[in-house]
Amino acid sequence: ETNAESAEKIADRIRVNISKEPIVHSNIPISTTASFGVSEFQGTGSGEIIAEANVDTIINNADLALYRAKETGRNKVVAIT
């Protein structure tokens, strides 16, 4: 478990590392980037069971955040909480 701020930092570290290392195919380096969408469930943190509707909302918010990242320049992390 982690909060949105920590998840955003982790996703950004992954994004930076992806962009540092090109993928080599047939001896040709291919630069890559990644965009991430982060969403947070704001529960009590006491091991509560998340309803399916809440899971769908969390996933939909992360998907929306990913699309915002792509629409606003790519190679970034966007969080929706």
Side-chain angles (χ1 to χ4, degrees):
E1 290 183 28
T2 190
N3 61 27
E5 182 180 342
S6 294
E8 197 172 355
K9 288 178 183 178
I10 292 166
D12 198 53
R13 281 198 313 262
I14 294 168
R15 180 195 63 78
V16 168
N17 284 323
I18 288 171
S19 67
K20 284 181 181 179
E21 283 296 320
I23 296 170
V24 179
H25 178 69
S26 298
N27 291 325
I28 300 170
I30 303 167
S31 60
T32 57
T33 61
S35 296
F36 292 86
V38 174
S39 179
E40 178 180 34
F41 171 69
Q42 304 217 358
T44 62
S46 62
E48 69 186 271
I49 297 173
I50 303 172
E52 187 174 337
N54 286 337
V55 172
D56 288 342
T57 299
I58 295 165
I59 292 170
N60 287 336
N61 285 344
D63 192 47
L64 179 60
L66 174 60
Y67 279 101
R68 284 187 186 164
K70 290 179 176 183
E71 290 172 350
T72 59
R74 299 179 182 258
N75 195 30
K76 60 170 55 176
V77 177
V78 172
I80 294 179
T81 57

